[in-house]
Amino acid sequence: MVLLISLALAAILVFPGREFIRKRQGLCYWACCAVSAGVIACVFSGISQSLTGVAQTLLNVFLQGGLAGALFIFVMYAGAMPDRSAFRRAVMPIRGPLSIMASILTLGHNVAYGRTYFAYLFTRASSLRWNVLLAAICSLVMIAVMLPLFVTSFLRVRRRMKPRAWKRLQRLAYLFYALMYVHVLLLNTTGAREGKWTAVLNVALYSLLFLVYASLRLSRTAQKGGREGWTDWIQLACSALMIGALVAIFQLASPTAAAPEADAAYAEPAAWTDGKYKGEGVGYNGRLTVSVVIRDGAISKAVCTGSVDDEPYLTDAVEGVLGAIVEKNTTNVDAVSGATTTSDALIAAVRDALAKAVGE
Ligand code: HEM
């Protein structure tokens, strides 16, 4: 959803807006700075939590890195399209400004997510799920690669560099694009395995976009090197890869693969020993911890003491699941729909804590 809206917004910016971008580059950069600052303010003030409907979707386009990603995709495609294509001719003259705008737009995304994910990466890396850990490391490399590309995209800097050195440095862009794809795949792995349609769609669309790009780019390189005969093979290999990847993705998300195994009945004792107990489970992004208080042999309080899972899923699961556990005095409660993994992890964490209350 975020990707589709972002691609549509990028198309509006690039096609009707390209003359404006070409003539008023400074203004466009400042506008992107203002958007990133707005995103950061919304997240740190907590306003992002209270938004709903169109406002929330619009914020997500910037917050989740969608528009920045879409602008990078336009820049990528412009470089890979045949010389005479209308798309290439429209985008090439504003390729530099578009890359700069996309880089500035990643700032809001980097700060908003970095404050949680980097905090975990540097202090409690073992709490993160493997895919989230790799995605956070990947983000660090992406930022390191993006910075020199960003600085040298400014015409003033470019003019001071030797053309050969500039071209050599710009080859880092291919590494950056590859990392962006890996970043998105890693972050959608858990959701796709759960059969979450937004994650499956994201994986499928990004795979399609990046494989078509790879096919175009390799064909262009083959043609430039006088190896026209290779293009058919390249396109065939990329199409086979694409079909294979899509089948694998949809297989992963098929109801059989996503269906949870039959939940073994959990037998609870009649009462627990009074006290305060800690437990943990594995949520959507990594380990989460809970604290449970037993008074007069019943659950009187259950709170989540730490989690890297994203809002608003975490709040929904905490309110729904922990609230029901205390109210009903049992862990045999339903998961909150839309936040199933976090809910299941909270239930597992409370059971982990309660196991200690039986032995004491
Ligand atoms: C140059 C830096 C970065 C770029 C270009 C980038 C790009 C992207 C893109 C294109 C998406 C997919 C958006 C969509 O749903 O269509 C995404 C998602 C995401 N990125 Fe990044 N990213 C960057 C840095 C970071 C950093 C530093 C972090 C945190 C450590 C991060 C965490 C995330 C998360 C958690 C998501 C999933 C968002 C969601 O679906 O809620 N990213 N990123």
Side-chain angles (χ1 to χ4, degrees), residues 311-333:
E311 295 291 353
Y313 309 104
L314 180 62
T315 309
D316 289 352
V318 166
E319 282 170 6
V321 169
L322 295 187
I325 287 177
V326 174
E327 193 188 317
K328 296 178 180 163
N329 191 37
T330 174
T331 57
N332 288 319
V333 295

Side-chain angles (χ1 to χ4, degrees), residues 210-273:
F210 279 82
L211 279 164
V212 170
Y213 166 74
S215 161
L216 285 169
R217 183 67 256 184
L218 291 172
S219 302
R220 191 178 159 83
T221 309
Q223 274 170 358
K224 292 253 161 196
R227 297 191 184 95
E228 279 84 0
W230 288 25
T231 38
D232 289 345
W233 289 107
I234 290 169
Q235 278 164 9
L236 196 72
C238 286
S239 307
L241 259 176
M242 208 171 341
I243 293 167
L246 291 178
V247 169
I249 292 156
F250 288 107
Q251 187 63 29
L252 197 72
S254 69
T256 18
E261 284 171 27
D263 198 1
Y266 174 74
E268 278 177 343
W272 295 280
T273 312

Side-chain angles (χ1 to χ4, degrees), residues 278-300:
K278 287 179 179 158
E280 56 180 56
V282 182
Y284 195 84
N285 288 328
R287 196 180 301 158
L288 55 73
T289 49
V290 296
S291 166
V292 180
V293 175
I294 303 291
R295 193 174 298 146
D296 301 329
I299 305 169
S300 73

Side-chain angles (χ1 to χ4, degrees), residues 64-256:
Q64 294 181 1
L67 185 61
L71 289 177
F72 280 128
I73 288 169
F74 271 65
V75 170
M76 274 162 53
Y77 268 75
M81 288 279 191
D83 284 339
R84 272 178 292 166
S85 83
F87 183 88
R88 184 181 166 92
R89 275 186 284 148
V91 182
M92 274 319 248
I94 53 163
R95 218 179 162 203
L98 283 182
S99 309
I100 295 172
M101 286 164 68
S103 307
I104 300 173
L105 285 174
T106 60
L107 193 66
H109 175 70
N110 288 346
V111 174
Y113 285 108
R115 71 171 181 156
T116 313
Y117 289 80
F118 287 152
Y120 267 84
L121 179 66
F122 293 119
T123 58
R124 283 161 286 167
S126 62
S127 293
L128 296 172
R129 267 188 197 258
W130 69 269
N131 55 315
V132 179
L133 176 69
L134 286 181
I137 296 170
C138 183
S139 312
L140 273 182
V141 184
M142 275 159 79
I143 294 172
V145 172
M146 190 185 72
L147 284 176
L149 288 171
F150 168 68
V151 174
T152 54
S153 292
F154 285 95
L155 212 57
R156 224 177 296 165
V157 179
R158 183 180 172 171
R159 282 197 188 123
R160 287 196 187 160
M161 291 178 74
K162 288 195 176 124
R164 257 186 158 199
W166 186 84
K167 268 203 151 179
R168 209 176 312 135
L169 188 108
Q170 290 299 311
R171 285 202 197 117
L172 276 179
Y174 300 120
L175 172 64
F176 179 75
Y177 302 149
L179 288 171
M180 198 163 88
Y181 178 54
V182 172
H183 175 74
V184 175
L185 279 195
L186 287 170
L187 287 163
N188 282 285
T189 305
T190 314
R193 285 185 75 94
E194 267 183 14
K196 233 182 177 181
W197 73 268
T198 43
V200 175
L201 198 67
N202 246 6
V203 172
L205 285 177
Y206 275 100
S207 299
L208 201 70
L209 283 166
F210 279 82
L211 279 164
V212 170
Y213 166 74
S215 161
L216 285 169
R217 183 67 256 184
L218 291 172
S219 302
R220 191 178 159 83
T221 309
Q223 274 170 358
K224 292 253 161 196
R227 297 191 184 95
E228 279 84 0
W230 288 25
T231 38
D232 289 345
W233 289 107
I234 290 169
Q235 278 164 9
L236 196 72
C238 286
S239 307
L241 259 176
M242 208 171 341
I243 293 167
L246 291 178
V247 169
I249 292 156
F250 288 107
Q251 187 63 29
L252 197 72
S254 69
T256 18

